[in-house]
Amino acid sequence: MQTVLVVDDEFGVAEVLQSILEDEGYRVATAINGKQALARLSELTPDLIMLDYMMPIMDGTQTLAAIRNNASFAKIPIIMMSSLEEAAVRETCTDYNSFLRKPFRAMAVLKTVAQLLEESARR
């Protein structure tokens, strides 16, 4: 069973993503900010991370940099999520594998997750 770490400070978004992913057979862990996400990474190594761009304490850009700078986690595929357009996110952050704009559709989430996990398995 593949594990997805969902990092989002909006409880409703994290809860919906968890439900969608678990219904498809994924194991899901959650974190409410980047600092908590890094702590969760010390407990588990997910197959994929879904990371919100705008969060308190430690935002998506800082979290992404910390993950990519850690050799143990650097290769984990990351989906950046934001209500902003991707062009705005790319001004400060580029080292993610895919982007989902909020609000998103369940099918878009599942398609993106499956595609990244498949690509990661081929490497």
Side-chain angles (χ1 to χ4, degrees), residues 10 13 81-84 100-106 108-109:
E10 294 179 50
V13 172
M81 307 178 294
S82 181
S83 58
L84 299 173
L100 283 174
R101 182 145 185 225
K102 295 177 182 181
F104 33 69
R105 299 197 178 278
V109 170

Side-chain angles (χ1 to χ4, degrees), residues 1 7 12 98 108 110 121:
M1 182 181 293
V7 186
S98 192
L110 294 173

